[in-house]
Amino acid sequence: MNISPVRQRNYGGKAVLALIALAMCGVTIWLLSNDFQLAAATQRWAMVTGALGASDVLLENLSFLQPHFPLYVLVPFYFIPGLDTGAAPYLVALLAATFLLFMWDRHLKEVEISGFRHALLAILIVSHPAFLWAATSGGHLMLSMIAFYMLYRSAQHVITEHDIHSYISLAVVFLIFFFVDSSAIFIFVALLPLLVVIAPIRTVMVSPVGLYLIVGTPFAFAVGTWAYMNWIFEGDPLFFITNADSAFMGGMLHIQDFPWLQQYGGQFFMPLIAATGYMLVAYPVSVYLLLDTMDNSYRFRASFVLLLHPLIAIAIATSQYYLMHPFEILGLLSAGVMAELTFIKMQSRREFVLLVIFMFISSVGGWWLFSQAGNPEMKHWMQALQGDTHQDSSNDADLALGLWLKHNRQQTMLYDRDAYEVIAARGDAKGLVLSFSNEYKSNIRERIPNVAQIAVPDPTTVRGRRDKLNIRYPNLYDFGMKGFSIVYDHLGWRVYRKKHV
Amino acid sequence: MSKTGGGAKPRIGELLVSRGLISEEQLERVLAQQKREGGPIGHIILANRLVSTIAFYDALTDHFRRGRIGDLLVSKGVLSNEQMEEAVQIQSEWGTRLGDIILAKGWVSPYVMGQVLAEHFDKPHVDLMDRRPDISLLDRSKLSVYSENLFMPWQREDGLLKVAVVDVTPELLKIVNETVDEPFDFIVTSKFDIIWLLQEIGGTYYSGKAVHELANTLPQYSASEVFTVKQLTFLFVWMTLSIIILAIWPIQSLVVLNLSISAFLMLNFGLRMLLGWVGGEKHFDQYVTDEEVLALDDRDLPVYTILLPMFHEAATLPNIAQALRTLDYPLSKLDIKLILEQEDDETIDAAKELGLEGIFEIIRVPESLPQTKPKACNYALHFSRGEMATIYDGEDAPEPDQLKKAVIAFRKSPENTAVIQGRLNYFNVAENWLTRMFTMEYSLWFDFYLPALDYLRIPIPLGGTSNHFKMSVLREMGGWDPYNVTEDCDFGVRLTQAGYRVGVMNSTTFEEANNSIPNWIRQRSRWLKGYMQSYLVHMRSPFKLYGELGHVGFWGFQFFIGGTIVSAMLTPVLFLMYIIWLLTSTFAFDPYFPSFVLYITLFNLLIANGMLIYLFMLSGFKRRYFGLIPWALTVPFYWLLQSWAGYKGFWQLIHNPFYWEKTHHGLTSFEVTHSATQPEKPKA
């Protein structure tokens, strides 16, 4: 059978991507087998499990304290047998990374590069720690990267085509971004001053208001929708930016836990400079792209925006005490660079070699930065990658309680906001009386709740102090409750069971 | 008629013998008859059917012709040498006859041209108003043929039928020959004489055809019957069952109703988003390029009929006349019909006073019910001679190259394309809130939705004007439905059902946006009533419609036409419920909004409505009417107005279904312009 060289190249490129996807899958399995687990991933999975395991499956069970899209994508996996171990978030991250790579592959055809170059670029992209971290850590960052990639593709189209589709894409991607990542607001605001670089100058001059309305209205509607949902279901439209548990507040209430915020929180220019330093180490390729495109107005404008946009977003997010670590936004540059590669012509050998060198340097710089300035989870991830983590799971209180509840499947009342690991370890929430349910709300009004079991953490711990059951029944942990007897007491968790059950 | 003797010319008889059309013996017999009875020899030859009229004039054209038309006009002093030279120059560009060009330019009146033409062909020129035709010679079943080709049997002289014509061409003689089916000769007259006389004689016939033709030939497509018996039966059964179900399961049935409405609105929103995206494709704006227009050879252009129905619009007449004069199209290939109601003396007088060129013809529509625009257009179709046809309204300002673009669009489109819809927009964009809303709505409709409908093969509800038809299809389809008050919408669906394609093109006609709310309500209530009529007509046989339109077409029709009606009717109900809930925080609605219904409703309220507002913004953005964009935020109030009009239209559908709510034009203080770049220019 004859296959044309172009198709062969195409198949070759796809085969490399498939291998890369398999390799990422292997890395994830390796990480999980080395005791790496991302708290945020567990929390997301526990939320989905809790909501879908409730007697009334309701949207509001997910709360409105974090964007919902990363939760919705987990929903189908709840119904797949064998995924009750909490692996779904990791699978989703891997699938998202694969999706992004194949989408990028499709768009790369526009610049007509050879299969070898294509494969090389793909390997360099994936080997950057920011991409690999997003793909294998089970967080929602890979979904943000997809949104960011599409954002840049739209921005490029506004620069070159400035047709109505490009503006719609830009605006709708922002709308979606809001439901994907709580940092979207900062990414949106950071792009506003740069719109004058992206949009045709004639449009900017004639009607800047019109331009901003076209790009910004869907995002504003998204924010408005969220506020409305908060009002309807939580009674306060600002609930999502005032509640202490809200992801939209970032690190604002826990500044002491984050060195970045301790150092730069509330400032604009210092984090801008620091982020520039981070970028120069982890993404010097974006500087190279800027310099390489100076002779082409369109490409230069795109590169300029790619360079500045994340830095401004980091500065604004830090000034608002939101950003816990610069890589939360800086990591998106990997997707930005991918989008940039679909836009530039790498015709000459010299250009391509330089690009590869800079991407390689970026990757090396990224790994160095991860090792030196990563947050504890990043460092744990790196250790797990190296296979030298030795975590003793027998000391994990939540895991132990979760597994105990798994084998003692009785109706159990539990304040879930800080107990997501318990739910994840249990595997499902069937029979759990969680804080969003009407059953919980009616029982907590009673002097003695009418449930089979109640689980409470030690009230002397931070978590125990925040636990609503401890607040409602302050003597429960220590002295029990009339009609209940203690059936579990291990590592700071106690479970009381109704005597006649 | 020719003479037997004289001059240097060879004799007619000899010429015919030399051509082998008659024999020597026949000539001898004819000469003998002439000697006995007198009269021109040509008459005798034709009357004896020795030669057909066509063959006779084919052989003898040069024999009769005297000089050239242009020279004759110059020699008579009615045309200057400069005009003559210009006409010759134009002739080389347009490829039409000199006489047509001179008439189109208005340099010579049609009456004088008739006289000169008669002289040219050596025929008598007859003023039909003075020497009226013998009505008994007219075949009433062929009145349309007479009016479409501008001839009519006049009188019988010496046993030979004389036919009054306004022009002499082999094609016309062939048609006359086929129509009268007997030997004939012709006399020359003015085209206005024929048009007026045929209207006078055949007014009832034309009017009857205009009103009843569709209802008689294709009753299933006629809105003359608002509800069929089947539909009424269905409605009765459905309502009875609904009441029973509601009585037995009140909450559950209301939940189902609520869910159905919410799901319908969500799908309707989805369709509109899809249309917004697909219609935003760049290539729709480049379907016909300026380069293609420039490359067009005027000589290849077809004759174009422009139908201009007007009613009490004397004020707008000079504007539209000027707009049509300035069209970038050979004027001699324009066949413009000013279609005026017979009792509308004001507009008729205004048209006469304007002294319009020969390309403008006044068609007076006799009084009859229903008094609608489609009936008037159907009436005028009998007098139309174009290969293509379009409709404009009195306040329209089409872009000058629109007709050429339509010709190119047809050439680029599949063979089964029956009509190409141009875009409509407004020149008084920024006059007030209402005109701003209207402009955004039209921009969305014509710049986004219709191209997308075309692409997705969903029936296109045609706009009221600037739709360019192939005349043959227009006639084949029986014209417009005079009982349907949105005959354009109905016609678009009917064409799709018949297997024709309805296309769109990137040329805009600028109209006057309604700037008064009562006037707008009148207009919109008619439109929505018409949509209801169209929906009812085409849903008489839903399965047949499904088969004809296919999956996409059928559901597109349900949501795009049906959805427009349903949205208009439901909006105030839903708004009212929402406001009551907001003000009172009542729990009364809770049982009817279980969680899954509530989520869909919330999605519709927040995301769908938000994005529909955004579509309005985009429409302004695409047209570069940037000033409109912030105004899009007020569009929910416009939706309420639409609902008001919807209920009024629904009321009228039941009580006065065929009443044409007249929209008053000429209310704007803005200057009529077809410029898209400076639309916000008030009159000086």
Side-chain angles (χ1 to χ4, degrees):
Chain A
M1 191 172 72
N2 288 329
I3 298 174
S4 71
V6 176
R7 287 184 71 188
Q8 268 182 338
R9 203 161 54 223
N10 212 356
Y11 290 136
K14 286 193 169 34
V16 170
L17 292 184
L19 284 174
I20 289 173
L22 281 174
M24 289 191 300
C25 188
V27 170
T28 308
I29 293 168
W30 172 258
L31 286 165
L32 293 175
S33 65
N34 278 284
D35 288 332
F36 172 76
Q37 275 205 320
L38 189 74
T42 311
Q43 185 181 14
R44 273 165 52 221
W45 181 243
M47 286 188 82
V48 171
T49 308
L52 294 178
S55 53
D56 289 328
V57 178
L58 300 170
L59 187 73
E60 52 270 35
N61 291 355
L62 295 172
S63 85
F64 295 93
L65 300 178
Q66 63 170 304
H68 272 191
F69 189 78
L71 303 175
Y72 295 156
V73 291
L74 288 175
V75 169
F77 296 93
Y78 178 81
F79 300 100
I80 298 174
L83 283 178
D84 56 354
T85 52
Y90 303 91
L91 192 56
V92 165
L94 280 170
L95 288 174
T98 309
F99 174 77
L100 176 59
L101 283 171
F102 276 89
M103 183 163 61
W104 178 61
D105 170 66
R106 188 182 162 84
H107 294 150
L108 259 188
K109 283 176 193 150
E110 293 166 19
V111 289
E112 297 170 355
I113 62 166
S114 69
F116 170 73
R117 288 184 173 192
H118 183 179
L120 188 59
L121 290 178
I123 290 165
L124 285 166
I125 287 287
V126 174
S127 63
H128 196 283
F131 189 95
L132 201 59
W133 157 258
T136 60
S137 67
H140 71 275
L141 192 60
M142 189 47 75
L143 296 173
S144 305
M145 277 193 177
I146 293 175
F148 200 72
Y149 175 85
M150 289 164 74
L151 188 70
Y152 265 87
R153 290 276 304 169
S154 307
Q156 288 163 0
H157 280 132
V158 173
I159 291 171
T160 53
E161 307 287 327
H162 50 83
D163 62 347
I164 203 77
H165 269 183
S166 53
Y167 289 98
I168 298 173
S169 303
L170 191 64
V172 171
V173 168
F174 266 127
L175 180 144
I176 295 167
F177 213 152
F178 179 78
F179 295 107
V180 171
D181 195 325
S182 52
S183 66
I185 183 83
F186 303 107
I187 291 166
F188 173 74
V189 173
L191 194 71
L192 293 181
L194 296 171
L195 265 184
V196 295
V197 182
I198 296 170
I201 193 69
R202 199 162 57 117
T203 307
V204 176
M205 298 297 284
V206 172
S207 177
V209 176
L211 175 68
Y212 281 102
L213 280 171
I214 287 295
V215 174
T217 300
F219 188 82
F221 280 137
V223 178
T225 297
W226 204 245
Y228 189 88
M229 300 291 268
N230 275 267
W231 177 55
I232 293 282
F233 294 111
E234 306 287 355
D236 177 8
L238 300 180
F239 184 70
F240 69 111
I241 49 172
T242 53
N243 187 281
D245 293 327
S246 176
F248 292 94
M249 295 187 77
M252 186 179 282
L253 300 182
H254 309 280
I255 297 169
Q256 70 284 356
D257 296 337
F258 306 108
W260 173 264
L261 281 182
Q262 281 178 334
Q263 197 169 354
Y264 301 114
Q267 303 174 66
F268 180 82
F269 288 106
M270 288 310 290
L272 185 69
I273 293 166
T276 307
Y278 272 73
M279 189 206 65
L280 289 173
V281 175
Y283 290 100
V285 65
S286 54
V287 180
Y288 164 71
L289 289 172
L290 183 74
L291 297 174
D292 184 54
T293 54
M294 283 190 88
D295 58 343
N296 182 318
S297 164
Y298 285 174
R299 290 166 52 198
F300 180 77
R301 280 156 64 191
S303 303
F304 181 76
V305 172
L306 177 64
L307 190 80
L308 271 189
H309 180 207
L311 301 180
I312 298 173
I314 288 171
I316 297 171
T318 309
S319 73
Q320 300 304 308
Y321 297 98
Y322 170 87
L323 197 68
M324 293 170 272
H325 192 277
F327 259 103
E328 286 175 26
I329 290 177
L330 198 66
L332 299 176
L333 259 175
S334 283
V337 169
M338 287 170 82
E340 191 72 3
L341 293 178
T342 65
F343 192 52
I344 61 168
K345 299 274 182 196
M346 295 160 288
Q347 301 296 358
S348 77
R349 187 183 172 83
R350 188 187 67 85
E351 271 181 311
F352 186 74
V353 169
L354 279 171
L355 176 70
V356 168
I357 290 170
F358 273 95
M359 284 184 73
F360 181 74
I361 296 170
S362 300
S363 192
V364 172
W367 283 107
W368 181 80
L369 211 53
F370 254 58
S371 67
Q372 297 300 312
N375 63 26
E377 284 185 314
M378 287 172 180
K379 287 180 175 168
H380 183 200
W381 176 77
M382 285 188 74
Q383 282 173 355
L385 265 182
Q386 293 161 35
D388 58 357
T389 54
H390 305 286
Q391 197 168 335
D392 184 3
S393 58
S394 62
N395 288 331
D396 190 327
D398 290 354
L399 178 65
L401 175 63
L403 291 174
W404 186 87
L405 287 173
K406 190 176 185 176
H407 296 109
N408 294 270
R409 301 184 69 80
Q410 294 192 25
Q411 186 196 33
T412 307
M413 194 171 173
L414 176 74
Y415 182 67
D416 50 295
R417 289 279 164 87
D418 279 332
Y420 50 85
E421 284 185 7
V422 175
I423 300 168
R426 187 173 183 263
D428 66 73
K430 286 192 180 104
L432 294 184
V433 181
L434 302 178
S435 62
F436 51 74
S437 66
N438 289 330
E439 206 176 355
Y440 178 96
K441 287 167 189 162
S442 62
N443 271 300
I444 208 164
R445 287 193 210 106
E446 303 296 327
R447 196 171 61 82
I448 297 173
N450 183 25
V451 290
Q453 293 183 151
I454 306 174
V456 279
D458 182 352
T460 60
T461 62
V462 173
R463 187 198 6 218
R465 279 197 294 275
R466 286 157 52 94
D467 191 283
K468 291 278 168 65
L469 289 174
N470 273 332
I471 294 169
R472 173 69 180 86
Y473 307 108
N475 298 319
L476 177 62
Y477 183 86
D478 292 326
F479 305 107
M481 187 179 278
K482 187 182 175 189
F484 284 81
S485 60
I486 190 162
V487 289
Y488 179 89
D489 184 6
H490 185 55
L491 298 172
W493 275 104
R494 284 182 182 172
V495 178
Y496 290 90
R497 184 178 292 169
K498 216 170 198 176
K499 281 179 181 162
H500 69 269
V501 176
Chain B
M1 196 67 208
S2 60
K3 296 173 174 61
T4 49
K9 285 185 177 174
R11 291 162 185 269
I12 288 172
E14 289 163 5
L15 269 171
L16 294 174
V17 171
S18 69
R19 295 278 179 102
L21 293 170
I22 58 170
S23 64
E24 291 281 358
E25 292 75 35
Q26 285 173 321
L27 179 59
E28 289 299 324
R29 283 205 301 274
V30 168
L31 288 171
Q33 186 180 345
Q34 185 188 32
K35 205 168 182 177
R36 280 196 314 275
E37 300 167 8
I41 191 167
H43 269 193
I44 298 167
I45 290 170
L46 289 172
N48 284 309
R49 302 191 180 207
L50 298 177
V51 181
S52 73
T53 309
I54 297 171
F56 182 84
Y57 282 106
D58 186 43
L60 300 175
T61 302
D62 291 337
H63 178 86
F64 294 116
R65 272 188 186 154
R66 290 184 178 178
R68 294 188 299 181
I69 297 274
D71 295 337
L72 284 171
L73 289 166
V74 172
S75 68
K76 283 179 175 294
V78 290
L79 189 74
S80 70
N81 282 319
E82 292 73 29
Q83 287 172 326
M84 175 66 184
E85 282 167 22
E86 190 182 337
V88 171
Q89 169 64 28
I90 292 171
Q91 188 181 28
S92 67
E93 292 166 11
W94 291 359
T96 52
R97 292 180 310 166
L98 203 70
D100 291 337
I101 294 166
I102 292 165
L103 274 177
K105 286 283 180 184
W107 291 332
V108 171
S109 75
Y111 186 80
V112 172
M113 181 59 83
Q115 286 179 320
V116 172
L117 201 66
E119 190 177 333
H120 172 71
F121 283 108
D122 192 19
K123 297 286 177 188
H125 178 262
V126 176
D127 183 341
L128 296 183
M129 296 299 143
D130 291 339
R131 300 176 63 193
R132 296 177 72 84
D134 178 355
I135 292 175
S136 66
L137 295 174
L138 298 178
D139 180 348
R140 297 208 170 245
S141 68
K142 291 175 178 166
L143 282 171
S144 297
V145 184
Y146 302 153
S147 51
E148 282 164 23
N149 297 286
L150 291 180
F151 73 91
M152 64 189 296
W154 177 56
Q155 288 179 1
R156 200 177 288 282
E157 286 184 352
D158 304 324
L160 184 64
L161 178 67
K162 293 294 180 76
V163 176
V165 299
V166 298
D167 199 356
V168 183
T169 63
E171 296 79 30
L172 178 68
L173 291 181
K174 192 168 171 233
I175 293 168
V176 175
N177 190 46
E178 286 167 2
T179 310
V180 299
D181 198 25
E182 65 170 293
F184 70 93
D185 198 1
F186 61 85
I187 54 112
V188 178
T189 186
S190 155
K191 74 170 177 178
F192 291 116
D193 283 4
I194 288 198
I195 291 170
W196 288 343
L197 263 176
L198 284 175
Q199 287 192 73
E200 184 188 306
I201 297 163
T204 314
Y205 166 82
Y206 293 126
S207 190
K209 291 269 277 183
V211 174
H212 302 299
E213 185 161 26
L214 185 75
N216 290 338
T217 55
L218 296 164
Q220 70 273 27
Y221 292 129
S222 171
S224 55
E225 188 181 13
V226 180
F227 294 97
T228 61
V229 175
K230 265 199 230 169
Q231 283 174 326
L232 286 173
T233 310
F234 172 80
L235 200 65
F236 174 76
V237 172
W238 181 71
M239 287 181 74
T240 309
L241 283 176
S242 299
I243 291 167
I244 292 168
I245 291 169
L246 194 64
I248 300 172
W249 301 288
I251 292 182
Q252 291 89 332
S253 50
L254 283 173
V255 167
V256 169
L257 177 68
N258 222 346
L259 177 65
S260 310
I261 290 169
S262 304
F264 184 86
L265 292 176
M266 189 168 74
L267 291 171
N268 191 33
F269 155 74
L271 175 71
R272 273 150 215 275
M273 285 295 112
L274 177 70
L275 297 179
W277 178 258
V278 174
E281 279 285 351
K282 213 176 190 176
H283 69 84
F284 290 121
D285 301 327
Q286 300 291 329
Y287 187 62
V288 181
T289 63
D290 292 344
E291 291 72 29
E292 285 174 307
V293 173
L294 281 173
L296 203 59
D297 188 343
D298 285 354
R299 288 169 296 188
D300 299 336
L301 294 171
V303 174
Y304 223 115
T305 293
I306 296 176
L307 301 175
L308 200 59
M310 301 178 90
F311 189 44
H312 294 305
E313 292 176 69
T316 59
L317 195 51
N319 288 334
I320 184 66
Q322 185 54 27
L324 297 182
R325 275 189 205 107
T326 53
L327 283 173
D328 176 18
Y329 203 85
L331 292 179
S332 57
K333 293 184 178 181
L334 291 181
D335 169 36
I336 303 172
K337 310 294 185 198
L338 294 180
I339 312 168
L340 310 175
E341 298 289 330
Q342 198 153 29
E343 81 266 25
D344 183 10
D345 295 331
E346 168 204 1
T347 318
I348 292 173
D349 292 344
K352 284 179 181 168
E353 280 168 19
L354 277 175
L356 298 165
E357 298 86 333
I359 51 173
F360 291 89
E361 293 169 13
I362 295 174
I363 306 292
R364 288 162 301 157
V365 183
E367 276 187 69
S368 68
L369 291 175
Q371 191 175 40
T372 60
K373 177 176 152 186
K375 186 200 75 178
C377 289
N378 283 345
Y379 185 91
L381 271 188
H382 294 289
F383 298 87
S384 301
R385 297 182 295 282
E387 194 181 317
M388 290 172 64
T390 189
I391 303 178
Y392 290 125
D393 276 348
E395 83 283 11
D396 283 0
E399 283 179 342
D401 61 357
Q402 186 168 105
L403 301 187
K404 284 187 173 178
K405 279 192 169 175
V407 172
I408 296 167
F410 268 112
R411 288 179 187 171
K412 291 173 81 171
S413 302
E415 189 56 33
N416 68 335
T417 305
V419 55
I420 302 275
Q421 172 70 56
R423 296 176 177 183
L424 301 181
N425 215 287
Y426 296 116
F427 53 77
N428 57 332
V429 177
E431 190 161 9
N432 59 28
W433 174 79
L434 189 61
T435 62
R436 288 183 174 98
M437 292 293 114
F438 210 173
T439 304
M440 280 189 281
E441 185 190 27
Y442 250 41
S443 302
L444 185 59
W445 190 268
F446 287 97
D447 298 354
F448 285 87
Y449 288 170
L450 295 200
L453 292 177
D454 176 23
Y455 179 79
L456 297 170
R457 295 287 170 267
I458 294 172
I460 291 182
L462 293 171
T465 79
S466 307
N467 24 42
H468 300 259
F469 296 93
K470 277 182 187 163
M471 184 68 90
S472 55
V473 180
L474 194 50
R475 291 201 165 112
E476 177 200 318
M477 298 293 292
W480 295 270
D481 182 357
Y483 289 97
N484 194 315
V485 293
T486 50
E487 76 294 345
D488 31 29
C489 163
D490 164 72
F491 201 55
V493 182
R494 196 145 49 90
L495 283 169
T496 313
Q497 279 182 270
Y500 286 109
R501 177 176 166 266
V502 179
V504 293
M505 66 169 176
N506 53 318
S507 177
T508 303
T509 297
F510 290 89
E511 301 189 310
E512 176 195 344
N514 232 316
N515 59 5
S516 137
I517 286 180
N519 200 29
W520 184 94
I521 293 282
R522 273 198 295 276
Q523 185 182 48
R524 188 53 58 100
S525 66
R526 172 167 62 78
W527 290 359
L528 286 167
K529 180 172 74 176
Y531 267 44
M532 292 171 202
Q533 283 182 313
S534 303
Y535 187 82
L536 287 169
V537 165
H538 295 284
M539 283 297 284
R540 284 171 182 169
S541 306
F543 294 109
K544 183 168 166 280
L545 184 71
Y546 206 120
E548 286 166 343
L549 298 184
H551 308 300
V552 176
F554 180 82
W555 290 110
F557 173 77
Q558 297 303 319
F559 283 99
F560 198 70
I561 308 289
T564 302
I565 303 165
V566 172
S567 304
M569 304 300 275
L570 285 178
T571 298
V573 178
L574 297 176
F575 273 27
L576 187 67
M577 282 171 69
Y578 182 60
I579 290 167
I580 290 172
W581 176 82
L582 267 186
L583 294 178
T584 64
S585 301
T586 176
F587 295 107
F589 300 131
D590 288 10
Y592 314 111
F593 286 89
S595 55
F596 57 98
V597 180
L598 178 68
Y599 301 146
I600 300 174
T601 311
L602 281 172
F603 177 85
N604 289 340
L605 175 72
L606 301 167
I607 301 289
N609 282 335
M611 290 308 286
L612 288 173
I613 290 171
Y614 185 63
L615 277 180
F616 264 68
M617 287 184 169
L618 285 173
S619 68
F621 190 73
K622 189 177 182 188
R623 274 274 164 185
R624 301 189 70 77
Y625 295 164
F626 297 117
L628 295 185
I629 294 171
W631 291 90
L633 293 167
T634 64
V635 83
F637 298 105
Y638 189 66
W639 293 337
L640 285 175
L641 279 185
Q642 185 141 310
S643 299
W644 180 2
Y647 279 99
K648 185 178 174 192
F650 182 62
W651 179 256
Q652 279 196 2
L653 179 77
I654 293 162
H655 290 276
N656 202 358
F658 314 124
Y659 174 62
W660 187 275
E661 278 270 24
K662 175 71 186 146
T663 314
H664 300 299
H665 295 299
L667 305 178
T668 181
S669 59
F670 277 50
E671 189 180 348
V672 180
T673 169
H674 53 65
S675 163
T677 51
Q678 293 292 327
E680 302 182 6
K681 192 195 292 177
K683 272 179 190 171

